Amino acid sequence: MSDPKIPRGEFDPDDLLHLSAKRILVTGGAGFLGSHLCAALLKQGHEVLCADNFFTGRRGNLRHLLGNPRFEVMRHDVTFPLYAEVDEIYNLACPASPFHYQHDPVQTTKTAVHGAINMLGLAKRVGARILQASTSEIYGDPQVHPQTEDYVGYVNPIGKRSCYDEGKRCAETLFFDYHRQHGIEIKVARIFNTYGPNMHPDDGRVVSNFIMQALAGEPITIYGKGDQTRSFCFVSDLIDGLMRLMGSPSEVTGPINLGNPVELSIRQLAETIIRMTGSTSKLVFETLPQDDPIKRQPDITRARNLLDWTPKVQLEEGLETTIEYFSKIVAATQGAAERK
């Protein structure tokens, strides 16, 4: 006869599905990309520890995940060491929009550099594989088009954008030095413009700016003549690329460009959003900011060959979902204002 004082665990058949699950740390996990990554990892059955200092990340991005017993949220700034037992680390922590990273440029550089040092130190201590969310800003205002991973960039080290550009470049240096010196398993992804739900409506990025202005019927602000180009990748495609890179053989370190190679001008993007929202907004043109890249298009040959990855979501399909997301925010905001 069993002793009633001895607790008996309840067996859940779903536990068998998670015997090979990993414990994964996502820094910046409450941000735009981080929240989508956390959701995708949980869907695969992993345990996820989300670390975020909530400077740009938002708890609302995680609301639908909080009831999951395999998900944990920790308020933490990566400029300080973090101690946890994990199998993999996705280092996404850092403001990514010019509006946010120029707000406190010193802290931005600290986040990129000290954050990389602390996460690499954790990876070294626990033997974890670690992925760095780097950026197309590594290339600066590129003199090579489209941008391949062996292009070393054309970056102003003392400009207003350099806190982010050079911070991310230094982080890549640290990753490869830790790999060579300590044998850390690293993955480096250079992320190009990405958009989709969970973007902050006021983060200053071009897609969110244009959609919010169009929904409000306000003039759409274009810097320069609007002939500068970008390539926009929908968030689900980008997350798939990150996870494929993390799961690739150890000899695949990167850097690997992740982005949509379809290039269009900023003016074309604005006109597309006006048409899709049915907006009456007009275009207004202002001075181009310092060091704003004129052309941006990824060469994704490496991603195709090494990860069997290519974006699947077409621009208008992704914009439709993103416009719907921002429309709900606008409606909720207006409803709250009316109730006051």
Side-chain angles (χ1 to χ4, degrees):
M1 183 175 179
S2 61
D3 186 341
K5 296 180 181 178
I6 299 176
R8 291 177 292 177
E10 295 297 326
F11 172 70
D12 183 345
D14 287 344
D15 290 342
L16 292 176
L17 301 176
H18 308 313
L19 291 178
S20 60
K22 297 173 182 174
R23 183 161 170 77
I24 300 174
L25 168 64
V26 179
T27 70
F32 165 44
L33 295 182
S35 58
H36 283 279
L37 178 60
C38 287
L41 292 170
L42 288 168
K43 189 174 182 179
Q44 286 192 343
H46 300 295
E47 294 184 25
V48 177
L49 172 60
C50 164
D52 204 297
N53 69 350
F54 295 99
F55 171 58
T56 57
R58 295 179 296 163
R59 288 191 178 274
N61 289 341
L62 306 173
R63 188 175 295 114
H64 62 301
L65 305 179
L66 295 176
N68 192 316
R70 289 178 284 107
F71 183 62
E72 181 181 355
V73 181
M74 173 190 298
R75 180 183 288 274
H76 183 80
D77 187 326
V78 294
T79 60
F80 298 93
L82 187 153
Y83 300 98
E85 301 300 321
V86 294
D87 303 303
E88 292 178 350
I89 303 168
Y90 287 85
N91 187 37
L92 275 60
C94 193
S97 75
F99 174 78
H100 285 137
Y101 67 64
Q102 291 176 18
H103 173 75
D104 190 344
V106 172
Q107 185 63 25
T108 297
T109 303
K110 285 182 177 181
T111 301
V113 178
H114 291 186
I117 291 171
N118 288 328
M119 291 306 105
L120 285 163
L122 175 60
K124 178 185 174 186
R125 183 179 70 81
V126 301
R129 176 176 285 194
I130 181 169
L131 182 146
Q132 167 68 1
S134 192
T135 173
S136 60
E137 300 298 334
I138 289 287
Y139 302 119
D141 188 4
Q143 309 297 296
V144 171
H145 191 75
Q147 292 79 59
T148 58
E149 291 90 346
D150 56 1
Y151 175 54
V152 296
Y154 186 76
V155 178
N156 177 3
I158 59 171
K160 290 183 178 180
R161 299 171 68 100
S162 60
C163 59
Y164 185 69
D165 301 0
E166 296 288 30
K168 289 288 191 177
R169 285 166 69 92
C170 185
E172 283 199 14
T173 299
L174 287 162
F175 265 68
F176 279 92
D177 282 341
Y178 265 77
H179 173 64
R180 287 184 287 257
Q181 187 171 338
H182 300 297
I184 304 299
E185 282 197 44
I186 66 164
K187 308 288 180 179
V188 176
R190 289 179 178 167
I191 299 172
F192 282 68
N193 291 71
T194 306
Y195 69 100
N198 291 6
M199 294 183 79
H200 197 293
D202 300 319
D203 71 358
R205 296 189 227 201
V206 64
V207 172
S208 52
N209 268 6
F210 286 0
I211 292 176
M212 292 298 289
Q213 289 172 334
L215 290 175
E218 299 173 350
I220 289 185
T221 308
I222 293 179
Y223 295 98
K225 298 178 181 179
D227 53 4
Q228 65 269 39
T229 66
R230 296 292 185 269
S231 304
F232 297 96
C233 184
F234 190 64
V235 63
S236 62
D237 283 331
L238 191 281
I239 296 304
D240 178 50
L242 290 178
M243 293 170 67
R244 284 173 183 256
L245 177 55
M246 180 64 95
S248 64
S250 57
E251 61 269 19
V252 179
T253 60
I256 290 185
N257 289 337
L258 294 178
N260 195 319
V262 178
E263 181 184 23
L264 78 160
S265 72
I266 295 299
R267 180 165 189 150
Q268 286 175 308
L269 175 68
E271 291 170 346
T272 299
I273 289 173
I274 288 173
R275 172 174 55 80
M276 292 184 67
T277 56
S279 177
T280 58
S281 294
K282 304 299 182 184
L283 304 182
V284 295
F285 298 86
E286 297 187 5
T287 304
L288 191 69
Q290 180 187 26
D291 301 321
D292 194 52
I294 300 301
K295 288 187 177 290
R296 188 56 61 73
Q297 180 188 20
D299 182 311
I300 62 168
T301 303
R302 280 192 191 179
R304 286 195 180 106
N305 293 341
L306 298 176
L307 309 179
D308 190 27
W309 178 84
T310 189
K312 296 179 176 62
V313 180
Q314 300 299 311
L315 179 66
E316 292 205 11
E317 180 186 356
L319 284 177
E320 183 178 357
T321 301
T322 310
I323 290 168
E324 181 182 355
Y325 170 76
F326 282 116
S327 296
K328 291 178 180 177
I329 291 178
V330 170
T333 303
Q334 291 174 344
E338 290 170 2
R339 289 191 295 271
K340 287 184 178 180

